[in-house]
Amino acid sequence: MKPLGPIPPGFTAKDGELAIGGRTASALVKEARDTPLFVYSRDMIASRIESLRDVMPKRLNIHYAMKANPYAPLLEFVADLVDGLDIASVGEFERAREAGYLPREISFAGPGKRDRELHAAIRAGVTLNLESENEAERALTIGKQLKVAPRLAIRVNPGFELRGSGMKMGGGAKPFGVDAERVPALARRIVEAGANWRGFHIYSGSQALDAEAIVEAQGHTLDLADTLAREAGVGVPHLNMGGGFGIPYFDKDTPLDIGVIGAALETRFAELPETLRDTQFAIELGRYLVGEAGVYLTRIVDRKVSHDTTYLITDGGLHHQLAASGNFGTVVRRNYPLAIASRFDAEPEEVVNVVGCLCTPLDRLADAAHLPRAEVGDLVAVFCAGAYGASASPSAFLGQGEAREILV
Ligand SMILES: Cc1ncc(COP(=O)(O)O)c(C=O)c1O
């Protein structure tokens, strides 16, 4: 038997079934007309953001990194709850505009921005987090052509990393950002060229559950921004301090203690160096805001036994839930939180493998999981599906097509 990850708090049973936003899984599937289905809860997203604001310093802005979940109704809902949006392509920019975000609330990070993307961002007034000197020169040239001062910040490749993070984005050679020692010269160049200088973006990692590690990285980030500003002799109108707030996906993962982070930031903000006194600070978060608010519902289409192992075969799989299958950046596959949604309050009574419908051994949703007995037609719920699910999975693989999505 292998443990399942912890089901996020807030999910209850109604009439024996999993309920999301007060409605049973079967009612939600009926409304969406079919499975597989992603369900995202408004209440959970709103209360997550509210509890974050409760503990973070008032002068800290919260940005949403839409790469986590770009589903249009969710993006629109989040627009009223956050202070800014981080995008990674012009495709995301178009979705953001449709969802009502204003260009000045948007920053665009990501290596390999094409000229037409720089053009669209500069013309609209989006802040570019520049990833290289080359990108900076192209942005300045495009600004001149358009006769506008582009809003430019430098994404710094810091010399440190976010300890314990699932994805490290600093501390050595990286395709992201400009190495810290080359940043002062580039900052001077941008200011002297007459651009609208916005400051720094320092992103050191993702998916950290250790509050002390985040406190440490944020401390290094503030120190680095101060050093860079002094060396360059430029101001820091804005400092995007990155994010990295993780959520528990696996057995023994414990929730991040945001109170510790908020208190430490409050202390740091009370003793800011001269260079950062007037700075507007932001963190950018994806999965922490929306990850636990999403559930992936998939229906069991077959139940079979092979060499004493029972398989529940579902109509979903890695084409929608690559991360839960263990194929999205994990070294050793572990089980995500998963339940039989149709029998949410029943006791576990058998050990089964839950798999997807793709013809590959990679398509696993739970290995050797202890679950209530489930039959063909029952619904399975995979939790922590609100981030890097539908849009981060290969839905075209084997012609299965996309999942449905609803916001409740
Ligand atoms: C620059 C940047 N911002 C934000 C994020 C969002 O990360 P998460 O969803 O873990 O908060 C990432 C993730 O890789 C990133 O690279």
Side-chain angles (χ1 to χ4, degrees), residues 65 67 86 155 169 201 203 206-207 284-287 388:
K67 54 170 69 74
D86 179 56
R155 178 168 179 184
M169 318 279 280
H201 175 219
Y203 194 89
S206 272
Q207 180 51 19
E284 56 171 321
L285 305 176
R287 79 186 77 222
Y388 307 108

Side-chain angles (χ1 to χ4, degrees), residues 64-68 86-88 109-110 129 131 155 167 169 176 201 203 205-208 240 242-246 249 284-290 387-388:
Y64 175 49
M66 71 173 280
K67 54 170 69 74
D86 179 56
I87 62 168
N129 291 326
E131 306 269 353
R155 178 168 179 184
M167 226 185 284
M169 318 279 280
F176 315 109
H201 175 219
Y203 194 89
S206 272
Q207 180 51 19
N240 181 326
F245 292 28
Y249 287 104
E284 56 171 321
L285 305 176
R287 79 186 77 222
Y288 189 78
L289 303 189
V290 297
Y388 307 108

Side-chain angles (χ1 to χ4, degrees), residues 375-400:
E375 303 294 343
V376 169
D378 277 334
L379 294 170
V380 167
V382 181
F383 296 89
C384 293
Y388 307 108
S391 70
S393 303
S395 64
F397 188 37
L398 300 183
Q400 290 289 345

